[in-house]
Amino acid sequence: MKILTASYVLTMNAQNECIKNGAILIEGDQIKAVGTLAQLTQCYPEVLIEDYPQKILMPGLINTHCHSGLLRGTAEGLPVWDWLQQYIDPMHRVLTPEDAKIASYLCYAEALLSGTTTIVDMWRYMDGSAEAAQALGIRAVLVPYVAEHPDHNYFETLKSNEALINRWHQQANGRIQVWVGLEHLFYAEASALSLIEKLCQDYQTGFHTHSNESQRSRISVLPLNWLF
C-alpha cells in the first residue's frame, strides 16, 4: 500500500473535481481512496508517500483510433484517397511482421510516455502488437487492417482476424482485446459484411473501420443496418 501525492489530482467524479495538494491511496493494482494529502495521511499515517511536486495526477488518456505505422505524419497535406494510394497502400505491400512489431513497440512506448494508457490500434501482423502490449503494460484494442476485395489483397483477411481473436482476445488479464476490423467500407465486397457481423456475434467483440473520411466515401452503398 502507498500514497501518491501531487500538486493537483484530477478526478472523474460527477463534479470533475480537481483536488489541490491531492493524494491517491493505492493497494496492489487498485485505487482505494482519493482526497487531500492531509486527509489520507490522517487515516493512513504509516503508509509510504511518493511525492510528485509541480505535477498533476489524472486518469490515463484513451486514444480511440491510431495506427502503429512508421509513416505517421507522412504527406499529411494530400487528400485522403491520394494519400492512401501514393503512400499508405504501397507501404502495406512491403510491410514485414518484424517491421510491424517494431512499429507497435514504438507507438505504445510513445503513448505511455505521453500519459495514454489505452489505445485502439488498427495495424497489420498484430501478433507483434499483442506482444508489445503485453510487455509494455498498455491496454490495447487490436484491430487488424482487413480487406475483403480482389483489388486490395495485400491486407489482413477475416480469416487472419479470427485467428488473432482466438490467440489474443482477453489475454494479459483482459488488457488485450481483439476486434473485427475493416480498412474501409469500399475495401470489402458486400458479402463480406455478413461474415463480419457473424464474427462479431460469435466472439462477442467489437467492429472498427474508417468511414466518411472523404467525398469518395459517399459512393459506398453497402448494407450496414446491422451496425446501428
Side-chain angles (χ1 to χ4, degrees):
M1 186 178 291
K2 62 184 174 182
I3 292 174
L4 307 181
T5 182
S7 298
Y8 297 93
V9 170
L10 179 62
T11 73
M12 294 296 291
N13 62 20
Q15 294 75 38
N16 286 324
E17 184 180 7
C18 186
I19 304 172
K20 188 174 182 180
N21 297 319
I24 302 173
L25 177 69
I26 305 291
E27 184 175 6
D29 60 356
Q30 294 186 348
I31 295 174
K32 289 296 186 179
V34 178
T36 65
L37 178 60
Q39 289 170 336
L40 294 193
T41 52
Q42 183 176 10
C43 295
Y44 306 93
E46 304 299 324
V47 174
L48 176 69
I49 297 174
E50 292 184 12
D51 189 14
Y52 297 91
Q54 302 303 309
K55 290 183 170 58
I56 182 169
L57 288 172
M58 59 181 284
L61 301 173
I62 298 174
N63 185 340
T64 59
H65 183 85
C66 73
H67 304 288
S68 285
L70 297 173
L71 291 182
R72 285 175 291 153
T74 300
E76 288 185 333
L78 289 176
V80 66
W81 185 246
D82 293 339
W83 177 70
L84 288 171
Q85 293 292 294
Q86 296 176 30
Y87 288 91
I88 301 305
D89 284 5
M91 179 272 295
H92 280 293
R93 291 180 183 272
V94 299
L95 184 68
T96 68
E98 184 65 18
D99 289 340
K101 181 166 72 171
I102 290 169
S104 289
Y105 266 97
L106 175 62
C107 175
Y108 300 169
E110 288 177 341
L112 290 167
L113 288 170
S114 69
T116 300
T117 58
T118 303
I119 58 169
V120 179
D121 186 18
M122 177 174 271
W123 192 221
R124 298 273 310 285
Y125 303 116
M126 296 197 84
D127 285 298
S129 305
E131 290 178 24
Q134 186 175 53
L136 296 178
I138 199 167
R139 292 183 181 90
V141 178
L142 306 181
V143 186
Y145 262 121
V146 169
E148 291 285 344
H149 193 286
D151 293 341
H152 304 284
N153 60 0
Y154 43 89
F155 285 92
E156 300 294 317
T157 65
L158 290 175
K159 183 176 180 180
S160 66
N161 196 153
E162 183 176 14
L164 189 74
I165 292 173
N166 283 315
R167 285 193 297 269
W168 284 102
H169 189 52
Q170 299 294 356
Q171 294 299 304
N173 295 319
R175 281 193 293 105
I176 297 173
Q177 296 185 37
V178 182
W179 286 9
V180 181
L182 182 61
E183 201 289 344
H184 209 291
L185 300 179
F186 48 80
Y187 277 44
E189 296 180 303
S191 59
L193 294 179
S194 296
L195 299 176
I196 290 171
E197 178 185 11
K198 186 175 188 304
L199 278 180
C200 291
Q201 292 180 348
D202 286 350
Y203 291 97
Q204 290 298 291
T205 192
F207 171 68
H208 196 69
T209 189
H210 298 102
S211 182
N212 301 322
E213 294 183 303
S214 69
Q215 286 293 109
R216 183 180 176 86
S217 301
R218 300 170 70 91
I219 69 171
S220 178
V221 292
L222 299 178
L224 292 174
N225 292 339
W226 65 271
L227 289 174
F228 304 103

